[in-house]
Amino acid sequence: MQVLKFGGTSVASAENIRKSLAIVAQAVAQGPVVMVVSALGGTTDALIGAGRAAAAADAGYRDALAQLHERHRTAAQELLAGAAQHEKLAAIAAQFGEIQTLCDGIFALGELSPRTLDRLMSYGELLSSRLIAAAAKAQGLAAGWADARQLIRTNSRFGAAEVDLATTTRQVADLKDSTARQVWVVPGFIAADAHGTTTTLGRGGSDYTAALLAAALDAEKLEIWTDVSGMMTADPRLVRSARPIPRISYQEAMELSHFGAKVLYPPTIQPVMQRGIPLWIKNTFASTDAGTLVEVAPPRTAAVVQGISSIGSLTLLNLEGSGMVGIPGFSMRLFAALARERINVVLITQSSSEHSICVGVAAHDTDPAQVAVDEEFATEIAAGRIEPLRPEPDLAIVALVGENMKDHPGISGKLFGALGQNGVNIRAIAQGASEKNISTVIRAADVRKAINVLHEAFFEATYKLVNLFILGPGNVGGKLLGQLAQQQAHLLENLGLRVRVVAIASSRHCLVDEQGLDLTAWPEALAAAPAQSLEEFTQLIIGHNLRNSIFVDVTANPDAARCYAPLLAKSVAVVACNKVAASSDYASYARLKSLSKEFNASFLFETNVGAGLPVIGTLNDLTRSGDVVRRMEAVLSGTLNFVFNNYDGTRLFADVVRQAQAEGYTEPDPRLDLSGSDVARKILILAREAGEVMEMSDIEIDTFLPPACLEGDVEAFYTQLAAHESHFRALYEAAAVTGTRLKFVARYADGAAAVGLQTIPPGHDLYDLRGKDNVVLFFTDRYVEQPLVVKGAGAGAEVTASGVFADIVRAARL
């Protein structure tokens, strides 16, 4: 004997019913089949809705029943023909007549009791099972219909009746004794008490019906046919990369189903587990897929964690107070108060100091639980020995499940580390002595992120998904996006990183796709996207709440720096090409560094100094290894180095500056480069990274520009440069006469910093610096006479973009 159960989606339409019957026809070749069926998908909810509408004096229930009637008529017409069709249509009409009469009575009384609701809900399975039995006969199967109310005996607890197993086993024996049928079609979910009154087994009870029948019949196997290909490593609606679990133990399946795995109703497993009956979970719509086999002792595998599951809509109830310490009976009274209100406790934790007890309950039980507990401890609360019960709503449980977690150190640490690095705060923890389950209570809003983070950590060791939010798709940003598009395969193959650009924002448009933007067609899509302010873009990043998120600021916008703090506080890493934040007032800089450390979110800004050169990274390596930077000497402006390397008095100084801007070596406003303020920012950033507490006002700036050149707009600047050509020529000629070269140099020593134009003699480390190159000389306790030198191209969109790219990779791997 085989028991096959088909859920609501598997029998939701005539087409789906045919698929289910085709599966049954194949199974018949191995022996008789008991086919347990749910109501047509959505029917139970529709019946409940109609009953509640009727009780609320809403006559709309009649229209709802008419639509439901028509749906069943349509299914019958598609499945049956001739006399069988006419007979079934008449039976369906008669049943809906009964439903109408029942709802009319509810409407007249204005009351929907649990007993009446059970009777109303039972029609869903009665309608579907009779229709499917008729369809099975029409397809040539020797099929019969058996009323579950004659087979399964329960008590009279309407809504979630408890089964009398002994009586049920005796009554089910008749099915086994009858060999005339190839297929028995049985309605799931419904049963009857000792008086023959209809009861139900609770939502998901069709699974339970199938398990009870399989156990009573000592079936060879039980198959649960649903719309997914087995139990999954995580909810596929939340985790796109979730995959089926081939084989799993009963205990693991019990844990997963208890903590929210939707393919199994938790009590289902108990009857078949006790009899050792194999349980298959299969996909009606992909019947050749292997599915999941649940068994007593599956072969041992290397997998430590079998699956990740969750329960939403949870409230933590905290009972605390010094009056609890050392006093026996508090826990008993707490649980007794909840039990009297029939409130189920999902999770329990207690501090070792006995100062507090924390329990998790379903959100809808919060108010009655608080009333019951506060009444139970009214005397202690009035005396100040304990506090009134404190509920924490809007929480959820995320659980790791796996028998192999036992005696495997580091699993909890890996779990907590993965969640912590993504800003998921854990409110409570519970782990049984069996070590099959580690449960964490987190914000309900973080469930999706948490499950994806854990699935990546425990099931996707081959790669890490990184989500980028890019601000500023201009010259450098455009090059960065091109590099990202070009290097996708390299990142995945060599670094195990799957980089996904989720959003691109400019000053006028914001393009978003949580599944990842097409990096070959983003300019056109961005141009058609709506506008979004910086504040809205920040909230968009926080609202998406994606794991491994990185905000990339490829702008020079001072306002963009205000986004960093709220993002870091949500564990979103920040990669900044923008120098404003790191060179702002020291308190703001220090706060960002502190937030980065506190919330495990990288704050990286390598390209603030030297474009793509590893200047800050080298400095950080020196200080982290205990070295002390005593002095720095540097050429930090690729723009100024390009200008003075190309200006020889044969053409206007203004023309050389224009060339530098045209080739992308300057800031959008070249005065920032030529005035020395940009270089001052860079040496300030290096001094701070070396451990110096310094403000921008502490930097001595010796500008070589005449004051008139800094007045007006950019075009006025160029006009003044041309007007002061004699000044620039004089600077050049004075250096040429002495055989020196002009370099705009930044220096830091003994807590002081300065920038200015200097003449550099032959043989000096800065003398042969060509083109747009930058150089930094680090004099430290280890590099005393011969400095550590970092040298290379210090300007240009391509190299700057590559520096930002390197920071993204660094943030992704930290």
Side-chain angles (χ1 to χ4, degrees):
M1 184 71 77
Q2 309 163 79
V3 178
L4 278 63
K5 180 264 177 177
F6 293 85
T9 54
S10 298
V11 295
S13 65
E15 179 184 358
N16 292 2
I17 289 171
R18 290 192 189 97
K19 290 178 180 177
S20 298
L21 287 173
I23 292 167
V24 170
Q26 287 185 325
V28 164
Q30 279 109 38
V33 172
V34 173
M35 182 185 188
V36 178
V37 297
S38 296
L40 272 61
T43 297
T44 302
D45 285 338
L47 289 169
I48 293 171
R52 288 176 176 168
D58 180 357
Y61 73 89
R62 297 187 180 97
D63 292 334
L65 293 180
Q67 292 174 9
L68 204 55
H69 186 182
E70 183 58 31
R71 182 181 173 197
H72 284 77
R73 279 177 51 83
T74 300
Q77 289 167 341
E78 293 178 11
L79 289 167
L80 304 170
Q85 182 188 107
H86 291 299
E87 180 181 344
K88 183 49 58 185
L89 290 175
I92 290 172
Q95 285 178 296
F96 270 97
E98 295 173 12
I99 297 171
Q100 180 77 51
T101 300
L102 183 58
C103 286
D104 289 343
I106 295 168
F107 183 84
L109 291 172
E111 179 185 349
L112 180 60
S113 68
R115 173 174 174 167
T116 303
L117 181 59
D118 267 7
R119 183 180 170 195
L120 179 61
M121 289 191 295
S122 72
Y123 281 98
E125 273 70 16
L126 292 172
L127 283 159
S128 66
S129 59
R130 288 184 180 276
L131 174 59
I132 292 167
K137 288 180 182 178
Q139 292 189 12
L141 293 170
W145 180 80
D147 191 343
R149 294 171 297 183
Q150 301 299 318
L151 301 173
I152 299 174
R153 174 69 60 80
T154 70
N155 64 8
S156 300
R157 184 184 169 191
F158 299 102
E162 296 172 3
V163 175
D164 178 343
L165 291 174
T167 303
T168 296
T169 300
R170 288 197 304 271
Q171 293 180 162
V172 172
D174 292 340
L175 284 183
K176 191 171 186 178
D177 294 339
S178 176
T179 58
R181 303 288 187 186
Q182 291 178 306
V183 180
W184 282 107
V185 180
V186 181
F189 180 55
I190 64 173
D193 65 10
H195 306 289
T197 304
T198 299
T199 60
T200 62
L201 303 177
R203 298 305 297 268
S206 291
D207 286 357
Y208 196 17
T209 301
L212 290 166
L213 296 180
L217 293 168
D218 197 18
E220 298 167 15
K221 62 180 177 180
L222 167 61
E223 294 180 356
I224 304 290
W225 289 84
T226 180
D227 55 3
V228 292
S229 296
M231 295 194 84
M232 309 290 281
T233 51
D235 188 338
R237 295 170 300 180
L238 300 177
V239 180
R240 291 168 61 87
S241 55
R243 56 182 182 266
I245 303 169
R247 302 177 84 159
I248 190 171
S249 72
Y250 281 113
Q251 289 80 5
E252 290 170 322
M254 286 276 281
E255 293 281 1
L256 281 174
S257 61
H258 174 71
F259 282 96
K262 303 302 182 186
V263 292
L264 274 184
Y265 179 57
T268 296
I269 300 170
Q270 195 67 37
V272 288
M273 179 175 68
Q274 290 176 339
R275 302 296 291 268
I277 298 170
L279 166 63
W280 282 94
I281 302 167
K282 308 263 292 180
N283 190 342
T284 306
F285 310 102
S287 59
T288 58
D289 287 358
T292 297
L293 174 60
V294 185
E295 50 193 331
V296 174
R300 192 168 183 83
T301 69
V304 176
V305 175
Q306 279 281 34
I308 305 166
S309 201
S310 66
I311 300 176
S313 301
L314 183 83
T315 296
L316 279 185
L317 306 177
N318 296 284
L319 186 67
E320 38 184 83
S322 57
M324 297 169 56
V325 179
I327 306 299
F330 269 93
S331 297
M332 179 194 70
R333 291 172 60 191
L334 170 64
F335 296 127
L338 295 174
R340 285 194 296 272
E341 297 297 321
R342 306 191 70 84
I343 294 171
N344 183 47
V345 174
V346 180
L347 174 142
I348 307 164
T349 64
Q350 182 173 12
S351 66
S352 58
S353 67
E354 301 182 53
H355 181 265
S356 67
I357 302 174
C358 176
V359 299
V361 301
H364 60 77
D365 286 330
T366 303
D367 290 341
Q370 185 164 19
V371 170
V373 175
D374 284 350
E375 286 180 354
E376 174 66 31
F377 295 100
T379 302
E380 290 84 355
I381 292 171
R385 292 198 296 274
I386 66 172
E387 301 295 324
L389 191 71
R390 179 168 54 87
E392 293 184 53
D394 303 321
L395 301 174
I397 294 176
V398 170
L400 286 186
V401 173
E403 286 191 339
N404 288 350
M405 293 195 304
K406 184 177 178 63
D407 300 325
H408 268 78
I411 301 300
S412 297
K414 188 174 181 179
L415 180 153
F416 301 143
L419 295 180
Q421 287 165 11
N422 278 272
V424 178
N425 187 42
I426 298 173
R427 292 292 303 113
I429 304 161
Q431 181 175 13
S434 68
E435 298 187 55
K436 292 185 178 70
N437 176 306
I438 305 174
S439 297
T440 59
V441 178
I442 63 173
R443 286 195 318 144
D446 287 332
V447 166
R448 183 183 178 201
K449 178 199 274 188
I451 292 180
N452 276 277
V453 164
L454 295 177
H455 198 271
E456 184 175 84
F458 289 98
F459 294 99
E460 299 167 30
T462 55
Y463 73 87
K464 179 180 183 179
L465 177 64
V466 180
N467 294 291
L468 301 185
F469 297 81
I470 296 178
L471 178 67
N475 192 19
V476 175
K479 297 294 185 185
L480 171 64
L481 287 162
Q483 292 174 9
L484 287 168
Q486 186 179 16
Q487 299 301 325
Q488 292 282 339
H490 168 80
L491 292 171
L492 185 59
E493 181 178 348
N494 295 284
L495 301 179
L497 297 176
R498 187 157 72 87
V499 178
R500 183 169 68 183
V501 178
V502 175
I504 302 171
S506 67
S507 59
R508 292 182 296 275
H509 305 281
C510 181
L511 181 64
V512 184
D513 186 342
E514 190 171 302
Q515 301 309 316
L517 295 169
D518 181 355
L519 295 186
T520 64
W522 66 266
E524 298 81 6
L526 179 62
Q532 202 161 55
S533 68
L534 282 171
E535 291 74 16
E536 289 170 333
F537 190 54
T538 303
Q539 291 308 310
L540 179 145
I541 298 170
I542 294 171
H544 274 72
N545 203 20
L546 299 176
R547 70 190 189 277
N548 307 323
S549 290
I550 303 175
F551 170 62
V552 185
D553 179 8
V554 201
T555 73
N557 185 350
D559 294 333
R562 292 202 298 267
C563 303
Y564 300 177
L567 291 173
L568 291 170
K570 292 295 184 181
S571 298
V572 175
V574 173
V575 169
C577 182
N578 191 339
K579 290 184 280 289
V580 171
S583 61
S584 62
D585 63 278
Y586 185 82
S588 297
Y589 160 84
R591 178 169 180 258
L592 293 177
K593 298 284 282 189
S594 175
L595 287 170
S596 170
K597 185 177 181 179
E598 180 181 356
F599 293 99
N600 298 305
S602 298
F603 174 38
L604 302 176
F605 41 90
E606 181 67 78
T607 51
N608 280 195
V609 180
L613 294 177
V615 177
I616 294 176
T618 300
L619 174 55
N620 292 157
D621 288 343
L622 290 170
T623 57
R624 277 195 291 261
S625 64
D627 203 355
V628 178
V629 177
R630 301 298 180 182
R631 180 161 62 94
M632 290 180 280
E633 193 169 349
V635 171
L636 296 174
S637 173
T639 303
L640 286 169
N641 201 44
F642 176 90
V643 168
F644 285 111
N645 280 332
N646 284 275
Y647 179 65
D648 58 6
T650 61
R651 58 188 180 128
L652 293 178
F653 186 80
D655 291 342
V656 177
V657 176
R658 281 191 185 274
Q659 179 187 350
Q661 184 175 25
E663 295 185 18
Y665 301 146
T666 75
E667 295 288 339
D669 184 346
R671 290 174 296 183
L672 293 174
D673 298 289
L674 271 69
S675 69
S677 60
D678 188 58
V679 176
R681 282 183 175 178
K682 292 177 180 179
I683 195 64
L684 173 65
I685 292 169
L686 291 181
R688 286 174 171 178
E689 290 294 292
E692 195 71 48
V693 178
M694 185 176 284
E695 300 289 356
M696 188 70 175
S697 58
D698 298 327
I699 311 293
E700 181 183 338
I701 302 175
D702 182 14
T703 182
F704 65 90
L705 290 177
C709 294
L710 298 177
E711 297 173 0
D713 57 17
V714 173
E715 278 308 310
F717 161 71
Y718 279 114
T719 300
Q720 288 298 321
L721 286 183
H724 288 83
E725 174 62 21
S726 59
H727 167 74
F728 302 115
R729 183 169 300 191
L731 292 173
Y732 170 76
E733 290 174 351
V737 167
T738 59
T740 59
R741 290 177 177 168
L742 294 172
K743 302 292 179 186
F744 197 86
V745 179
R747 282 193 171 94
Y748 162 81
D750 301 323
V755 300
L757 192 65
Q758 297 184 14
T759 54
I760 305 297
H764 192 282
D765 286 308
L766 305 183
Y767 181 80
D768 289 320
L769 198 63
R770 298 294 183 182
K772 59 183 182 299
D773 285 0
N774 279 192
V775 64
V776 182
L777 312 179
F778 292 107
F779 295 87
T780 74
D781 286 352
R782 294 173 189 159
Y783 296 88
V784 181
E785 296 180 2
Q786 187 71 19
L788 173 62
V789 180
V790 178
K791 179 181 176 181
E798 199 72 45
V799 294
T800 304
S802 70
V804 176
F805 197 149
D807 267 354
I808 290 171
V809 172
R810 195 174 293 113
R813 300 183 75 185
L814 286 177

